[in-house]
Amino acid sequence: AQTVTQSQPEMSVQEAETVTLSCTYDTSENNYYLFWYKQPPSRQMILVIRQEAYKQQNATENRFSVNFQKAAKSFSLKISDSQLGDTAMYFCAFMKGSGGGADGLTFGKGTHLIIQP
Amino acid sequence: DGGITQSPKYLFRKEGQNVTLSCEQNLNHDAMYWYRQDPGQGLRLIYYSQIVNDFQKGDIAEGYSVSREKKESFPLTVTSAQKNPTAFYLCASRRGVSSGNTIYFGEGSWLTVV
């Protein structure tokens, strides 16, 4: 079974600062996918960024980037130039590659990120 | 618009009552999922379905049932056997491996026991 650990229950930074959210995972799989989802107060789960484990290059989506360390089983999210709208719960999630990801995502417990004006 | 529609947004259940949460998607995704979210927790998998007329139990299936009679629809029934059903429920569907293997979510349904 896979486990995902987010060690920071809550973080708070000033607007325009850079913030890094941590995530570690445990798996015996070699082929898998990793995701960061954002959940604002509306509770809608929004995909932020995804990473295929076989790709060495770290994924980037505008202000969001990841630091994927496969050997260390670490998958941190960096948000640059943080904005008030980034305030949300952020969940790290794991999906097995075997079986085509059929059995879905395993989630961490989340990090509540607060962007202060 | 393409997407995943969950209804109702808010639902109240009396003790001993079964209730059904609806989930419809028009994304032509084969796989669909139900997750439960409790305060301060991540999401936990209840049931999932890869194809029509087939589904599997997730980590917390006890007290829940599902059906998958159509590709577009994956309703979740919360039965009276579920002792603590008050939670936020999220339905999701997954694009195939060739399209990025990514899971997308509906807007969720709140269920409260009264």
Side-chain angles (χ1 to χ4, degrees), chain A residues 1 4 8 38 48 55 69 72 82 84 92-93 97 99-100 106:
Chain A
V4 178
Q8 305 151 312
K38 170 184 176 181
V48 175
K55 289 187 177 180
Q69 301 289 328
S82 58
L84 297 178
C92 179
T106 300

Side-chain angles (χ1 to χ4, degrees), chain B residues 57-77:
Chain B
K57 294 180 178 180
D59 300 320
I60 56 166
E62 185 176 352
Y64 299 97
S65 66
V66 293
S67 63
R68 187 84 187 276
E69 297 177 1
K70 298 187 300 181
K71 186 176 183 178
E72 301 80 15
S73 179
F74 191 41
L76 174 73
T77 297

Side-chain angles (χ1 to χ4, degrees), chain B residues 1-81:
Chain B
D1 276 350
I4 303 168
T5 303
Q6 290 187 237
S7 63
K9 179 70 173 180
Y10 300 95
L11 186 59
F12 299 91
R13 192 193 92 167
K14 294 181 180 179
E15 295 282 351
Q17 211 176 37
N18 292 355
V19 294
T20 297
L21 306 179
S22 171
C23 178
E24 302 277 334
Q25 56 100 359
N26 60 4
L27 301 169
N28 199 33
H29 291 172
D30 287 316
M32 297 186 74
Y33 305 83
W34 275 105
Y35 288 89
R36 169 178 171 146
Q37 186 178 25
D38 293 283
Q41 299 291 319
L43 280 66
R44 292 182 291 167
L45 183 64
I46 305 173
Y47 267 99
Y48 62 99
S49 169
Q50 298 184 62
I51 56 172
V52 173
N53 292 323
D54 186 55
F55 47 82
Q56 286 77 40
K57 294 180 178 180
D59 300 320
I60 56 166
E62 185 176 352
Y64 299 97
S65 66
V66 293
S67 63
R68 187 84 187 276
E69 297 177 1
K70 298 187 300 181
K71 186 176 183 178
E72 301 80 15
S73 179
F74 191 41
L76 174 73
T77 297
V78 185
T79 75
S80 57

Side-chain angles (χ1 to χ4, degrees), chain A residues 54-74:
Chain A
Y54 66 85
K55 289 187 177 180
Q56 292 188 334
Q57 186 173 7
N58 288 325
T60 300
E61 289 287 342
N62 300 313
R63 297 183 294 109
F64 299 88
S65 61
V66 299
N67 183 5
F68 173 48
Q69 301 289 328
K70 190 172 183 179
K73 296 181 180 175
S74 171

Side-chain angles (χ1 to χ4, degrees), chain A residues 34-94:
Chain A
L34 294 164
F35 303 85
W36 280 97
Y37 283 88
K38 170 184 176 181
Q39 188 179 44
S42 67
R43 289 283 187 143
Q44 173 82 53
M45 291 289 284
I46 302 166
L47 176 67
V48 175
I49 200 165
R50 63 188 294 279
Q51 174 83 41
E52 294 94 334
Y54 66 85
K55 289 187 177 180
Q56 292 188 334
Q57 186 173 7
N58 288 325
T60 300
E61 289 287 342
N62 300 313
R63 297 183 294 109
F64 299 88
S65 61
V66 299
N67 183 5
F68 173 48
Q69 301 289 328
K70 190 172 183 179
K73 296 181 180 175
S74 171
F75 184 60
S76 62
L77 174 70
K78 185 172 83 170
I79 305 174
S80 304
D81 185 27
S82 58
Q83 300 174 359
L84 297 178
D86 295 333
T87 293
M89 284 291 290
Y90 286 82
F91 292 97
C92 179
F94 174 99

